[in-house]
Amino acid sequence: RQHNLDIKVGRIFNTYGPRMMFNDGRVLSNFMLQALLGQDITVHGDGKQTRSFMYVSDLVAGLMKRMEVQSDDWKPVNLGNPDERTIKNAAQMVKKMTDSKSTVAHIPMSQVPEREGDPKQRCADISRAKSLLGWEPTVTFEVGLQSSIDDFKERLKNKPRMLVFTPAYLPEKGPAEKKAQQVMRQLSGYEFDVITTKIGSTKADEDDGTIHIHRIGKGNRFDKVFYPIRAALLARKLHKMHGHRVAWAIMASHGALAAIIFSWMKRHMPVVLSVYEGKISEDKLKRGKLLSPLYKLIFRRSHRWQVIGNMSQQQQAWLEEERHVQVVQDDADLAMLTKRTRELFQEAEILSSRM
């Protein structure tokens, strides 16, 4: 009214359909991915909490109706599907329609404290949409779910791939590389190309499930020195074959420099940086001051980054609130570390589509 603008507001409820990201963390994409990969279909709590799911074509039709209908009524219009069902029912339907051997596994809410505040019931009231727009969803849950499952099956033939830069890896690895390997094994919705240095008589290329290891160098002490350039060049070659979405650097050192050089080459490749610090000691702080220019370059060129370490609440609050850095305490279990890392990958994938 103040600026004489034509405002039309649609309040969008849970939406699903083809082309959802495999690892976006939403309930239906989680269920479908787990079922198709033969993993446990994980339901938080007893599964009696309810949700309603709207197919994407219904959402598009509702938004178009909202834009087309001329009305002085600018109040929000709910766009959703009133077909309310329990999360347990949704999991069972996914299992049945994928013909999966997976088990529906219930995780106690005490193990997922971030979910304890979730509403027990969520269902869209679309009475205003019916009266004002003459709109209501037409795609049944069964039809929409089958279309989404078919899309997931087809795209799983070519999972999204990540480039991983880490000078040290198998068979010699420290705490950082060990945790990175554990996280990659948990994120089965991705394929990973790990670029590392050669050690002794190890094979140049090796597969470990969804982890593809590429070793460069001659197995001597100079390999790390030349790693950033060699790794970036190999990454460019691999990217031409696989079309990677994100570059992931392990530690703020040679691996991060390689990722940054490669990102500069491609112009549109987001860099996720994971720094595994363990306990933040005075020696580490002094070393950080000495390497400050290098660290500043790495942190400035990284699009998303996380720190895994033992730190005080004050340190964690400063990093998260002032520096927008994701912090994971070093004693966090693997499930939490995987979840937080996946969140960064999701953000980076979305950023990649916009760069």
Side-chain angles (χ1 to χ4, degrees):
R1 290 174 180 173
Q2 182 178 349
H3 298 285
N4 194 30
L5 295 176
D6 184 13
I7 298 296
K8 297 177 181 180
V9 182
R11 183 186 289 121
I12 300 172
F13 283 72
N14 285 351
T15 306
Y16 72 101
R19 297 182 66 189
M20 287 191 297
M21 291 169 59
F22 290 142
N23 302 280
D24 66 7
R26 290 185 287 179
V27 62
L28 284 184
S29 51
N30 280 350
F31 286 173
M32 290 189 292
L33 185 64
Q34 290 167 339
L36 291 170
L37 294 176
Q39 302 171 348
D40 284 349
I41 302 173
T42 52
V43 174
H44 297 148
D46 57 15
K48 294 181 180 179
Q49 60 270 40
T50 65
R51 296 292 184 269
S52 61
F53 302 98
M54 174 175 53
Y55 192 67
V56 63
S57 63
D58 284 331
L59 170 63
V60 172
L63 290 171
M64 291 179 67
K65 282 275 190 181
R66 186 68 188 99
M67 296 302 293
E68 292 168 356
V69 171
Q70 299 299 318
S71 173
D72 293 332
D73 186 347
W74 53 267
K75 295 178 182 178
V77 175
N78 290 343
L79 298 176
N81 194 318
D83 176 28
E84 185 178 8
R85 64 184 63 243
T86 65
I87 293 297
K88 183 177 181 180
N89 171 264
Q92 291 170 337
M93 285 194 65
V94 169
K95 173 179 165 64
K96 179 181 178 181
M97 294 177 68
T98 55
D99 193 26
S100 175
K101 304 299 182 184
S102 297
T103 299
V104 177
H106 292 263
I107 300 177
M109 283 295 188
S110 59
Q111 295 183 20
V112 280
E114 69 273 15
R115 294 292 185 189
E116 288 185 353
D118 285 0
K120 298 295 183 183
Q121 182 180 20
R122 187 180 293 157
C123 183
D125 177 358
I126 62 169
S127 55
R128 271 175 50 77
K130 287 182 177 181
S131 60
L132 181 65
L133 309 180
W135 170 90
E136 61 181 314
T138 60
V139 180
T140 66
F141 185 63
E142 292 80 2
V143 171
L145 185 58
Q146 187 62 63
S147 174
S148 303
I149 289 170
D150 291 343
D151 171 71
F152 264 48
K153 283 182 178 178
E154 184 62 29
R155 288 193 293 129
L156 274 173
K157 296 175 183 177
N158 294 288
K159 297 178 185 178
R161 293 179 81 115
M162 302 284 178
L163 276 164
V164 184
F165 295 88
T166 173
Y169 196 66
L170 292 169
E172 294 184 11
K173 58 182 183 293
E177 292 76 25
K178 184 178 180 179
K179 287 191 175 183
Q181 182 196 46
Q182 291 172 337
V183 167
M184 285 188 280
R185 285 178 171 173
Q186 292 293 310
L187 294 175
S188 51
Y190 293 105
E191 298 267 348
F192 296 91
D193 285 300
V194 178
I195 302 178
T196 186
T197 55
K198 197 174 188 310
I199 298 173
S201 59
T202 52
K203 296 179 180 178
D205 296 298
E206 185 178 356
D207 288 336
D208 177 17
T210 58
I211 305 172
H212 311 287
I213 305 166
H214 309 273
R215 296 187 179 91
I216 56 178
K218 298 181 179 179
N220 59 44
R221 61 181 179 175
F222 296 106
D223 285 346
K224 282 190 177 182
V225 176
F226 298 107
Y227 175 85
I229 298 297
R230 287 175 173 171
L233 293 174
L234 176 57
R236 185 169 64 175
K237 179 180 177 181
L238 292 171
H239 179 67
K240 288 181 179 179
M241 293 188 288
H242 303 300
H244 300 85
R245 307 281 185 85
V246 175
W248 183 23
I250 309 301
M251 302 300 289
S253 58
H254 299 82
L257 285 175
I260 289 168
I261 293 170
F262 173 67
S263 177
W264 175 79
M265 288 178 175
K266 300 308 300 179
R267 302 291 183 187
H268 65 275
M269 181 70 64
V271 174
V272 172
L273 171 65
S274 292
V275 181
Y276 298 80
E277 284 295 348
K279 186 175 181 180
I280 310 298
S281 63
E282 288 299 321
D283 287 341
K284 286 187 177 181
L285 292 175
K286 289 178 181 178
R287 185 183 66 187
K289 289 180 180 178
L290 291 174
L291 297 175
S292 181
L294 175 62
Y295 285 161
K296 284 182 178 179
L297 170 65
I298 291 171
F299 295 145
R300 189 180 299 119
R301 296 296 181 182
S302 298
H303 298 86
R304 297 289 185 275
W305 58 292
Q306 66 178 178
V307 174
I308 298 94
N310 295 323
M311 60 194 75
S312 66
Q313 290 184 344
Q314 184 179 8
Q315 289 173 322
Q316 180 171 343
W318 180 78
L319 283 169
E320 291 182 334
E321 296 171 12
E322 299 294 330
R323 291 291 181 259
H324 307 292
V325 176
Q326 184 195 88
V327 175
V328 182
Q329 290 291 346
D330 192 46
D331 58 0
D333 60 23
L334 177 59
M336 175 57 69
L337 177 57
T338 301
K339 176 180 179 295
R340 299 304 304 278
T341 305
R342 181 175 57 229
E343 290 170 356
L344 285 186
F345 286 170
Q346 291 163 3
E347 293 177 13
E349 280 192 274
I350 294 170
L351 180 61
S352 177
S353 67
R354 296 174 179 173
M355 290 177 67

